[in-house]
Every structure is written in structure tokens, then in C-alpha cells.
Amino acid sequence: MRALLILLSLTTLNSTFGQDTPNPQPEVRRGGPRVFGQPVVPNADDVRAFPEPTAGFDQKRDDVPHGKLEMIEYDSKTVGTRRRMNVYTPPGYSTERKYPVLYLLHGIGGEETEWQRYAQPEVLLDNLIAEGKAEPMIIVMPNGRAQKNDRPEGNIFAAAPAFAVFEKDLIDDVIPAIESGYSTLADREHRAIAGLSMGGGQSLNFGFAHLDRFAWIGGFSSAPNTKRPSELLPDPKSATTLKLIWLSCGSKDGLFGISQGFHSYLKEKQVPHVWHVTGRGHDPPEWKQALYYFVQKVFRNEA
Ligand code: FER
């Protein structure tokens, strides 16, 4: 269904965003549009950084403590509306302690419930925290479509500009609301940003533009809203202050070239980063395992 929607939306997409979007748009060829862009040209280092997770990693367990998911509202000065976000607090969450925060962004057809539906971050985190494999953290899943009607309705590609506006909403409205409503460690070393597809592009664009705010950045299967590598990181030396740059993608994903291109740039500039390539496509299981490994690296010194 998602693929169908994307297919149907493609003609409008090219006329609407072809001029403004920095990465190449899917080309329209005789015989129909090339959904999701360029053919994948694999390189020798396009390999897994992490194994397939072991069975049960995503199963809710009765023998571990559970965190909490809650849907909250905040006033968005940027959009001029009250907006919703889904917030995970870890097991035993207490105002006696302060927690690091991961801002986790959805894809072009999603909204604030998408990560919950695709990957159940609350289950992954409860299990990992119980095993001592992830730091107790707050996970904020906002709505990255910063416009008055933020539902994924109609031509979902038409809302692409609102995904760029979300930079302001995130910095001016979302983060302050979280930091006043929850017991957080409010410095860059305790703030991470990651997302899938459109949200991966947002995470790279916003993360690198705000190195003073985020020390951990992850792009999963990042979409063509991602800025070009030299725009993301014009001064590679500035990346030395980052604790983690994570890039992952499935080798069957037609958007692969975007992640691969940024990885090649980072490699050429000798900027340390994680490059995790699976054999998957552009799909929820890809993002679930990416999140599973990403959360094991953030807020830990050995990352
Ligand atoms: C595009 C192809 C895919 C695009 C965005 C996407 C803005 C996003 C996909 C997703 O979020 O799953 O050309 O342009």
C-alpha cells in the first residue's frame, strides 16, 4: 500500500519538488517512474556492522520491568497549533534522576504513532535495559510534518516542505516542552536524533546543523530530503565533537545511494561513523533492527 501510494504520488512529486530537493529525484522513464531512484551499485564495504538480532529481541517479556508510553500535547509556536507526540519513559522513571533523550523521527507517510506501530520501541528498550545493553532513556516520537493539518492524508509527498519546517518546531517547541515536562539531562551529550527515511534525512539535516544540541546522530534509510554531504558537513573537523554518526540502509532500497554517498564522503574525510548495510529494502523490519542497534550505542562512552 505504501509502495503504491508512493508510486501514485511520484508524478506530482517531481513537478513539486524537483527544483528544490538537493538529492536527485527518482527519474521518470519510458515505461513508468523509477520509484526510489537510482539502481544500487554495491561497494565492498557495504556490509553489516551488526548481526541479525537473535529471535525474541522484539517480543514483550513478562519477566522484565516495563516503561511507559504516553501521548502528550504541546503548544507549537512554529505551527500555531497544539501538536501531539508519543513519549516513552523507561522502567522506574523517576524525577529523582535525569535521563538522556532520543528524538526519533518517522517517514513521509507516518505521524507520531509510526515508530510505535513499526518497531515497538518500548518493547525493544524494556528488554535491552533489563539486559544492561541500553541506557535508560526517554524516547520522543513527535510528528515531523510541521503544518496545521499534520495527518498523512492525500498526496503524502506534497507535505515534504513541512518536514523541513519541523527543524524550527523541534528546536523551539518540542525540545523545550520535553525538557520542562520531563526529568532530562539537557545538554548535547545527552540528546540524540535519529529517524527513518524522511525522518532520517531530517535527523542528518538538523543534527549536523545543530552540533551544539546533538552529539548522537542517526540516519536510517535516509530519503532525498537529505542535504548533499558537503552541505551536511562542510567542515569535516567539526564532526570530531560528535559521539556517534550512524548511517544504515538495506541494499535493496532504491534510496540506498543517499546513505552510501554520505558514507563515502565521511570515509574520504576520515570521519568515524557506523555504516550498517543489510540485505533488506525500504521496510519496517529494517528500521526495527536499526533502532535496536542504534539505542545500544547512544549515551554510552564506548560508542
Ligand atoms: C522521495 C522518495 C521517498 C522523497 C521522499 C521519500 C522527498 C520518502 C520516503 C519515506 O519517508 O519513506 O523522492 O522525496
Side-chain angles (χ1 to χ4, degrees), residues 89-248:
T89 46
Y93 170 81
S94 151
T95 51
E96 316 270 280
R97 260 187 85 166
K98 289 180 186 292
Y99 299 85
V101 186
L102 164 62
Y103 293 86
L104 188 59
L105 311 180
H106 61 78
I108 199 158
E111 26 61 0
E112 63 278 359
T113 69
E114 184 175 74
W115 267 108
Q116 184 187 350
R117 289 184 283 110
Y118 280 179
Q120 292 190 288
E122 72 284 13
V123 173
L124 305 185
L125 265 291
D126 288 350
N127 293 349
L128 287 170
I129 292 167
E131 291 166 23
K133 291 185 182 165
E135 294 300 312
M137 67 182 84
I138 296 171
I139 302 184
V140 179
M141 292 159 274
N143 181 309
R145 195 181 294 97
Q147 60 184 17
K148 286 203 161 54
N149 177 1
D150 62 10
R151 297 303 96 193
E153 296 170 346
N155 175 4
I156 50 171
F157 286 85
F163 282 78
V165 176
F166 183 67
E167 177 171 6
K168 186 165 164 50
D169 192 49
L170 176 68
I171 301 291
D172 293 351
D173 303 316
V174 170
I175 294 177
I178 291 297
E179 292 179 358
S180 66
Y182 292 86
S183 189
T184 63
L185 289 161
D187 62 347
R188 65 186 290 282
E189 303 223 340
H190 297 98
R191 243 187 247 119
I193 184 165
L196 72 90
S197 197
M198 205 66 180
Q202 287 177 308
S203 299
L204 299 176
N205 294 348
F206 308 164
F208 284 98
H210 299 277
L211 295 175
D212 56 326
R213 308 269 184 161
F214 303 101
W216 316 80
I217 303 175
F220 310 160
S221 320
S222 299
N225 62 327
T226 309
K227 290 182 198 163
R228 287 200 170 88
S230 59
E231 287 174 72
L232 281 173
L233 191 57
D235 171 18
K237 281 194 210 69
S238 65
T240 53
T241 67
L242 283 168
K243 307 282 271 181
L244 175 66
I245 303 171
W246 165 292
L247 300 175
S248 56

Side-chain angles (χ1 to χ4, degrees), residues 2 6 10 13-14 17 21 23-26 35-37 106-110 114 118 156-157 160-161 163 196-200 221-226 255 258 282 287:
R2 184 185 176 90
I6 286 164
L10 211 69
L13 168 73
N14 276 334
F17 303 110
T21 323
N23 272 303
Q25 292 299 298
V35 177
F36 280 6
H106 61 78
I108 199 158
E114 184 175 74
Y118 280 179
I156 50 171
F157 286 85
F163 282 78
L196 72 90
S197 197
M198 205 66 180
S221 320
S222 299
N225 62 327
T226 309
L255 301 182
I258 295 164
H282 198 74
W287 303 319

Side-chain angles (χ1 to χ4, degrees), residues 7 10-11 14 26-35:
L7 189 79
L10 211 69
T11 325
N14 276 334
E27 36 171 314
V28 176
R29 297 192 314 181
R30 212 191 305 242
R34 293 276 312 273
V35 177

Side-chain angles (χ1 to χ4, degrees), residues 251-291:
S251 62
K252 292 196 188 72
D253 187 332
L255 301 182
F256 186 73
I258 295 164
S259 300
Q260 190 190 42
F262 192 34
H263 155 67
S264 301
Y265 177 87
L266 294 176
K267 191 171 169 179
E268 183 198 313
K269 306 289 180 195
Q270 300 183 315
V271 177
H273 61 285
V274 168
W275 174 229
H276 175 53
V277 178
T278 71
R280 290 199 180 80
H282 198 74
D283 54 32
E286 168 67 21
W287 303 319
K288 186 192 274 189
Q289 60 83 43
L291 179 67

